[in-house]
């Protein structure tokens, strides 16, 4: 279903695709598709925090040029049609289920999965949950969940980098107010000046609705709730792309990640790049993705 009021109507048109509402058992997720989903294995692109599915436009354009159809969606909380109140509705298990239902709603049984930040966190759990559906997995920025957890416990630098997470968990209301004050100055600072201004402005515009921003924080607040999703074994071909200037994921976590992958694995370090790989380095990322997809 599409509409002139759809947030991705213009973006989808630029890609020659369609703005979509993916109907799941719990509600609708906003997104877009492009390319012939039945012609070859689609690529599902899953954003992180604080972003929306619009982060993928430059990468999607490169993938489409190479003949790969794409599916991108706003995760729960970000999508107005699926924004539950309860914290337990924002567990990783829920995010993984959403992925499977989006793929089914789009009519695809098997797909390449690319996740950034929380999209990557979700992906590390999705692969063991549905290995037959995921042709390849790529995590942008996010280290394997267990590697990251180990380093938070062992490495002072990685522990300090997670201070924002602890603040979100303990003072969510204060974080919402603080981040959105003064034309979202603190939220804008999170992007480190590396995201194109028009993209940053689009994020801030949508997050200026405090309800949306508060929902996005529930991912962090829900950690430890619900079923503990296994993040092993990782048996599908896996690519991990990490920027050397990532503010959240330290080198120790990045380098340990490979120990938790049993299938074919490639680690790519982008020297001088930040956490914001989809927006900052789309052409470089797309080149690595195309090579990686050939393995699946």
């Amino acid at each position: 279903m599409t509409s002139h009021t759809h947030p991705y109507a213009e973006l989808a048109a630029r890609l020659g695709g369609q703005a979509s509402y993916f109907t799941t058992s719990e509600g609708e997720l906003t997104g877009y598709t492009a390319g012939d989903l039945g012609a070859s294995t689609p690529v599902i692109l899953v954003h992180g925090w604080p972003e929306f599915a619009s982060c993928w436009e430059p990468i999607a354009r490169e993938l489409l040029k190479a003949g790969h159809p794409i599916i991108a969606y706003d995760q729960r909380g970000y999508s107005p049609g699926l924004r539950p109140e309860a914290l337990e509705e924002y567990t990783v298990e829920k995010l993984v289920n959403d992925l499977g239902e989006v793929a089914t709603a789009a009519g695809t049984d098997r797909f390449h999965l690319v996740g950034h930040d929380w999209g990557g966190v979700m992906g590390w759990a999705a692969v063991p949950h549905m290995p037959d559906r995921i042709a390849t997995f790529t995590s942008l920025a996010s280290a394997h969940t267990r590697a990251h957890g180990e380093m938070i416990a062992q490495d002072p630098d990685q522990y300090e980098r997670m201070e924002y997470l602890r603040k979100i968990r303990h003072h969510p209301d204060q974080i919402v107010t603080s981040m959105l004050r003064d034309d979202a100055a603190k939220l804008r600072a999170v992007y480190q000046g590396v995201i194109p201004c028009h993209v940053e402005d689009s994020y801030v515009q949508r997050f200026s609705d405090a309800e949306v921003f508060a929902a996005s924080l529930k991912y962090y607040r829900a950690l430890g709730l619900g079923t503990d999703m296994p993040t092993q074994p990782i048996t599908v071909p896996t690519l991990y792309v990490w920027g050397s200037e990532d503010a959240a994921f330290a080198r120790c976590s990045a380098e340990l990640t490979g120990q938790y992958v049993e299938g074919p694995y490639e680690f790519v370090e982008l020297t001088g790049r930040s956490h914001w790989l989809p927006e900052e380095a789309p052409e470089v990322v797309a080149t690595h993705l195309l090579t990686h997809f050939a393995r699946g």
Side-chain angles (χ1 to χ4, degrees):
M1 162 170 111
T2 60
S3 165
H4 66 282
T5 61
H6 194 293
Y8 295 123
E10 293 183 8
L11 186 160
R14 290 194 295 271
L15 294 175
Q18 288 189 320
S20 302
Y21 293 100
F22 300 103
T23 301
T24 76
S25 58
E26 297 188 48
E28 284 186 336
L29 295 172
T30 312
Y32 54 93
T33 65
D36 185 351
L37 299 182
S40 59
T41 305
V43 183
I44 299 186
L45 303 161
V46 189
H47 70 89
W49 180 85
E51 300 165 302
F52 293 88
S54 51
C55 74
W56 298 110
E57 182 177 2
I59 287 178
R61 185 171 289 109
E62 297 301 314
L63 299 183
L64 288 164
K65 286 179 187 175
H68 292 279
I70 62 97
I71 301 164
Y73 65 96
D74 288 336
Q75 296 205 74
R76 61 172 55 212
Y78 299 80
S79 290
L82 183 46
R83 188 174 294 146
E85 284 295 322
L87 282 184
E88 56 267 27
E89 296 300 317
Y90 291 86
T91 62
V92 172
E93 181 179 18
K94 290 285 188 178
L95 306 182
V96 170
N97 290 341
D98 288 344
L99 169 68
E101 293 202 37
V102 166
T104 299
T108 184
D109 292 325
R110 197 162 183 265
F111 51 89
H112 300 285
L113 175 61
V114 181
H116 175 240
D117 187 78
W118 265 100
V121 172
M122 181 278 296
W124 289 116
V127 172
H129 184 68
M130 55 179 90
D132 294 338
R133 299 193 73 180
I134 298 174
T136 68
F137 171 52
T138 301
S139 179
L140 305 182
S142 297
H144 186 278
T145 310
R146 286 188 60 183
H148 189 216
E150 280 189 37
M151 290 299 101
I152 291 173
Q154 298 175 21
D155 184 80
D157 176 43
Q158 184 62 88
Y159 178 84
E160 286 302 318
R161 289 170 186 244
M162 291 295 103
E163 179 62 20
Y164 74 94
L165 183 155
R166 293 184 287 274
K167 287 181 178 178
I168 288 171
R169 287 174 64 81
H170 293 120
H171 308 288
D173 294 340
Q174 293 178 27
I175 293 293
V176 172
T177 302
S178 173
M179 295 281 273
L180 298 183
R181 186 185 295 127
D182 300 326
D183 188 34
K186 287 188 177 180
L187 174 57
R188 290 181 185 276
V190 169
Y191 303 123
Q192 299 177 281
V194 299
I195 291 181
C197 290
H198 72 282
V199 177
E200 180 180 299
D201 288 342
S202 73
Y203 293 169
V204 169
Q205 180 182 17
R206 294 182 70 180
F207 280 128
S208 64
D209 181 340
E211 182 182 350
V212 180
F213 195 66
S216 76
L217 299 184
K218 289 180 180 178
Y219 286 52
Y220 297 97
R221 299 172 61 201
L223 288 168
L225 300 179
T227 304
D228 185 20
M229 291 286 286
T231 55
Q232 287 181 285
I234 304 294
T235 56
V236 308
T238 297
L239 169 66
Y240 176 31
V241 185
W242 174 77
S244 65
E245 305 308 304
D246 195 304
F249 293 93
R251 179 175 296 277
C252 59
S253 297
E255 293 182 344
L256 184 60
T257 288
Q259 294 188 23
Y260 289 98
V261 180
E262 297 177 20
Y265 177 67
E266 182 181 9
F267 172 57
V268 172
E269 176 182 342
L270 298 185
T271 303
R273 299 297 191 175
S274 74
H275 180 77
W276 308 103
L277 299 177
E279 301 95 339
E280 185 186 11
E283 292 84 3
V284 175
V285 169
T287 298
H288 288 290
L289 288 176
L290 293 173
T291 302
H292 179 50
F293 295 160
R295 301 183 186 114

